[in-house]
Amino acid sequence: MANRVPRETFLKSLRYLTSATASSSSPSAAVAAAVSPLIVTSDDADLSERPRSSRSDALLNLDDYEKLFATVPTAKLVRASANLQASAIEPLVDFGIRLMKSRLMEMEVVRDIILGTIRHTFYEHFCAGEDAEAAGRTVLRLRETGIRGMLVYALEYATENDACDRNLDGFIRTVQSTKSLPSSSTSFIIVKITAICPMRVLERVSDLLRWQHKDPSCHLPWKLNSFPLFSDSSPMYHTLKRPEPLSPEEERDLQLGHERLLKLCRECAEANVPLSVDAEHTAVQPAIDYLTYASAIMRNKGSYPIVYGTIQAYLKDAKERLLLASEAADKMGIPMGFKVVRGAYMSSETKLANSLGCDSPIHNSIQETHDCYNDCASFMLDRIANGSGGLVLATHNVESGKMAAAKAHDVGIGKVNQRLEFAQLYGMAESLSFGLKNAGFQVSKYMPFGPIDMVMPYLLRRAEENRGLLSASTVDRQLMRKELKRRLKAVIL
């Protein structure tokens, strides 16, 4: 039986770090921001302007740029610096987004020129390759720097079962490709449930789950054993009236979606690589959590979880839902893993809530989001210190990284620990990734891959959701420039 974390311990952990300054420092870029729900927004400042904690700085040193980029060849450093500089120019990126969505893309010659330019700049910088084999080669190159890879077959938003089946085949090929890679070089396989279960079914299931939370007498005959999906503060405005029960066809589609997820879980278990289920819009998140938790109950056995869920800390109910799901997992003896992120759907979430005359489900300020993220991280670090579950801290925020590193040290978590992984997007937050790696922690990069035609719509959707990140690569750009100047000076002298 997993160790149960008492509510008092949770409340104590929530007080940890809440008074600390959590100014954002998430290096990012427009196209890179498109990749994943790792971050939501930031207000970057020069590293020298941030308040310092000597203890956390001793654990995580981001000032020694020579040591940070020691494993990065000069040519790659130049290219990375140029890409980050270009992606920090918001008008340029806005123009690129408009161009990609314009009728010019219907002209084959123009389309080939545009995609060719993107392929050799942003795509190569922020994506791992065209297919699983190419992504595997990128993982091997990354491994030489001491960092692992999270493989992300960049698909989402399937509408029909045939598309879901094809997508599942792609995810399974991704898992199987890891068997030819060195052990532990791939830390996670990432999946979006909207790629393997039709969106309309997830919307219908979410409506019914929300209604059952409002009215416990609502019977859902198809519902399997799960962890709690809602807290008292969870948004319910998506479901304004009692939904109709699922039709036999919808029940079959739901079952097929769950079977696809379970099949992927089995493949991951055989390959000895965990599966992390990404969070998505709140309109479908209840169904995503339901399928994730039901699968975890079936597949998470032994000491280490195979299935990880995702908590988006920019949501007001994030801490409470994390507590409830964790307590339920402990009571059932299920080792549950969680990836904690800030969030990636701020614009659409706020727009939908406003259209319905409701408060946004997202925190009212970035500081509240930082506090929530740090609280969730602190709580989960206490849990894994007690041998319960697993944790991925996905963040580009330097202060959050420092706080988590200090907290891990305080609670006695060994730096190279199978239960704890830090993560950043591939091509972004390099200084934080290398700093955490140099401090002895396990670090991964979230690595989307796929044909450029398939990946670009996905990246564009994410870019439009994360416009606040367009110029937030200040820290990395500063440090890269300093290191390039140092290398140039060394050559001249």
Side-chain angles (χ1 to χ4, degrees):
M1 176 71 73
N3 295 328
R4 182 166 184 256
V5 179
R7 185 176 299 268
E8 306 86 69
T9 302
F10 173 74
L11 293 175
K12 181 180 179 181
S13 72
L14 292 189
R15 291 192 292 271
Y16 186 87
L17 304 177
T18 53
S19 62
T21 300
S23 59
S24 177
S25 55
S26 48
S28 51
V31 176
V35 175
S36 160
L38 288 180
I39 42 180
V40 55
T41 186
S42 71
D43 300 306
D44 255 315
D46 189 291
L47 279 171
S48 62
E49 296 175 358
R50 294 192 185 91
R52 297 289 186 142
S53 165
S54 58
R55 186 168 64 90
S56 62
D57 284 349
L59 289 168
L60 184 59
N61 180 10
L62 301 186
D63 293 327
D64 189 349
Y65 46 84
E66 180 178 358
K67 184 177 180 181
L68 287 176
F69 301 115
T71 59
V72 183
T74 299
K76 184 175 180 180
L77 197 62
V78 169
R79 187 168 63 251
S81 180
N83 281 325
L84 289 178
Q85 183 66 44
S87 61
I89 304 173
E90 187 170 345
L92 176 63
V93 177
D94 284 342
F95 172 75
I97 291 174
R98 289 195 299 272
L99 186 62
M100 286 291 296
K101 299 175 73 172
S102 72
R103 289 190 173 183
L104 289 174
M105 294 298 289
E106 298 174 7
M107 301 171 60
E108 185 175 353
V109 174
V110 176
R111 177 183 176 84
D112 289 345
I113 293 173
I114 293 173
L115 291 183
T117 301
I118 293 174
R119 182 189 305 277
H120 296 295
T121 52
F122 297 111
Y123 178 85
E124 288 185 356
H125 184 81
F126 298 118
C127 297
E130 294 269 355
D131 52 32
E133 289 71 26
R137 291 192 292 271
T138 305
V139 168
L140 290 177
R141 290 193 294 271
L142 193 63
R143 181 173 180 264
E144 295 176 357
T145 69
I147 293 177
R148 310 204 294 171
M150 294 177 165
L151 289 181
V152 189
Y153 187 41
L155 292 174
E156 59 181 0
Y157 299 165
T159 57
E160 302 297 336
N161 283 311
D162 287 346
C164 292
D165 288 336
R166 289 193 299 272
N167 293 345
L168 176 64
D169 289 341
F171 285 114
I172 289 176
R173 286 195 299 272
T174 301
V175 178
Q176 292 173 343
S177 73
T178 67
K179 296 178 182 179
S180 63
L181 297 173
S183 176
S184 299
S185 60
T186 303
S187 56
F188 285 87
I189 299 296
I190 307 294
V191 66
K192 277 183 161 54
I193 298 294
T194 53
I196 59 173
C197 188
M199 178 68 77
R200 56 182 170 75
V201 176
L202 295 173
E203 291 172 344
R204 290 275 288 121
V205 170
S206 294
D207 276 340
L208 286 161
L209 290 169
R210 273 188 291 265
W211 194 263
Q212 187 186 58
H213 181 73
K214 290 182 180 181
D215 179 9
S217 67
C218 176
H219 177 57
L220 305 179
W222 43 265
K223 188 178 179 183
L224 301 172
N225 198 11
S226 180
F227 305 143
L229 306 173
F230 305 100
S231 72
D232 290 340
S233 60
S234 294
M236 294 288 141
Y237 55 79
H238 305 84
T239 307
L240 301 177
K241 61 181 181 179
R242 186 184 186 96
E244 292 294 323
L246 293 183
S247 67
E249 180 183 3
E250 288 172 329
E251 284 197 33
R252 180 182 64 87
D253 289 347
L254 175 62
Q255 182 179 355
L256 288 173
H258 192 204
E259 289 174 356
R260 293 186 191 100
L261 180 57
L262 288 175
K263 185 174 182 179
L264 186 55
C265 292
R266 287 193 296 271
E267 292 286 340
C268 285
E270 291 176 5
N272 196 31
V273 57
L275 177 69
S276 177
V277 179
D278 266 350
E280 303 190 49
H281 299 276
T282 57
V284 294
Q285 191 60 42
I288 291 171
D289 285 340
Y290 163 70
L291 291 171
T292 302
Y293 296 156
S295 300
I297 290 171
M298 296 178 183
R299 299 300 309 180
N300 285 4
K301 309 295 182 183
S303 300
Y304 297 96
I306 283 291
V307 182
Y308 280 62
T310 299
I311 295 292
Q312 298 188 102
Y314 71 173
L315 296 174
K316 295 173 182 176
D317 67 343
K319 289 186 292 189
E320 291 80 6
R321 287 191 298 109
L322 178 61
L323 168 62
L324 292 170
S326 299
E327 285 189 334
D330 285 346
K331 288 178 181 177
M332 297 174 66
I334 304 297
M336 187 63 203
F338 288 98
K339 180 173 65 178
V340 181
V341 306
R342 277 176 167 76
Y345 302 94
M346 183 169 66
S347 298
S348 58
E349 295 286 10
T350 301
K351 183 177 180 180
L352 176 60
N354 290 343
S355 71
L356 297 173
C358 301
D359 290 337
S360 172
I362 293 170
H363 288 297
N364 296 327
S365 70
I366 183 60
Q367 187 58 51
E368 289 176 347
T369 294
H370 291 330
D371 291 342
C372 181
Y373 183 94
N374 293 333
D375 289 345
C376 291
S378 179
F379 168 63
M380 286 301 301
L381 287 167
D382 281 330
R383 280 176 54 79
I384 64 173
N386 292 329
S388 179
L391 171 64
V392 177
L393 289 177
T395 182
H396 291 183
N397 185 283
V398 171
E399 296 306 318
S400 289
K402 289 183 176 182
M403 290 178 181
K407 172 71 174 184
H409 181 269
D410 288 345
V411 297
I413 298 174
K415 290 182 179 178
V416 179
N417 187 300
Q418 293 184 43
R419 298 186 186 277
L420 173 62
E421 190 92 18
F422 287 90
Q424 290 79 42
L425 298 178
Y426 181 67
M428 292 171 59
E430 306 288 56
S431 55
L432 180 57
S433 297
F434 288 127
L436 287 163
K437 185 265 297 182
N438 291 343
F441 292 100
Q442 288 190 151
V443 181
S444 287
K445 287 293 192 177
Y446 186 102
M447 304 172 70
F449 72 89
I452 190 168
D453 286 354
M454 180 188 81
V455 173
M456 286 312 300
Y458 171 69
L459 297 180
L460 288 173
R461 281 194 291 272
R462 296 286 74 76
E464 291 181 318
E465 288 285 354
N466 291 278
R467 289 181 179 273
L469 296 170
L470 297 180
S471 58
S473 58
T474 306
V475 174
D476 265 9
R477 286 184 286 122
Q478 286 178 346
L479 293 173
M480 286 180 180
R481 281 199 299 268
K482 289 180 180 179
E483 173 58 9
L484 286 171
K485 287 180 180 177
R486 187 199 66 80
R487 294 185 186 187
L488 178 61
K489 183 178 180 181
V491 170
I492 293 174
L493 296 178

